[in-house]
Amino acid sequence: MDEELKKLIEGSAAETRRHFEAVAERLESKVDESVAETRRHFEIVAERLESKIATVAEAVTALHEQIIRFKATIKEELADIRSKIKFSHGELTSHPTL
């Protein structure tokens, strides 16, 4: 190979290397930008989800408290009904039938 051809090939290889390095830098920069944008988007979505989850948790707690109160009310009413039934039964059995 003559010297001139060798220099031409080396120069072309160096130019190609610089071109690929420049492309790699641009690509890396774009990937970094994309990662940052995706992270920001994810953080926004995560904040919204946390807010919605907190709202649901509050609603579940409120419903649980309502169920507990309702259960207590039903127990009281059932005890009252049983008491009235016992009283009525006692009244019926203590009176002679006609």
Side-chain angles (χ1 to χ4, degrees):
M1 218 190 310
D2 75 346
E3 197 59 37
E4 189 176 318
L5 181 58
K6 186 176 178 182
K7 286 182 181 181
L8 182 63
I9 291 173
E10 287 173 355
S12 179
E15 184 179 337
T16 302
R17 193 174 309 110
R18 284 190 302 274
H19 174 73
F20 276 112
E21 287 172 355
V23 168
E25 283 180 26
R26 287 196 310 266
L27 182 59
E28 186 176 331
S29 175
K30 291 209 179 262
V31 168
D32 289 345
E33 290 172 12
S34 179
V35 167
E37 182 180 338
T38 300
R39 179 172 282 126
R40 283 189 301 273
H41 178 70
F42 177 78
E43 288 170 355
I44 291 169
V45 169
E47 286 176 16
R48 288 180 184 165
L49 284 175
E50 287 173 349
S51 173
K52 289 179 180 184
I53 289 169
T55 300
V56 170
E58 289 172 10
V60 168
T61 300
L63 286 173
H64 180 67
E65 291 170 358
Q66 287 177 355
I67 289 170
I68 290 171
R69 286 192 301 274
F70 179 73
K71 186 177 175 182
T73 301
I74 294 297
K75 278 186 176 182
E76 289 174 11
E77 290 180 7
L78 185 57
D80 187 45
I81 291 170
R82 285 182 178 154
S83 174
K84 288 178 181 176
I85 289 173
K86 284 181 184 178
F87 177 77
S88 296
H89 181 47
E91 286 290 312
L92 289 174
T93 57
S94 68
H95 289 58
T97 56
L98 300 173

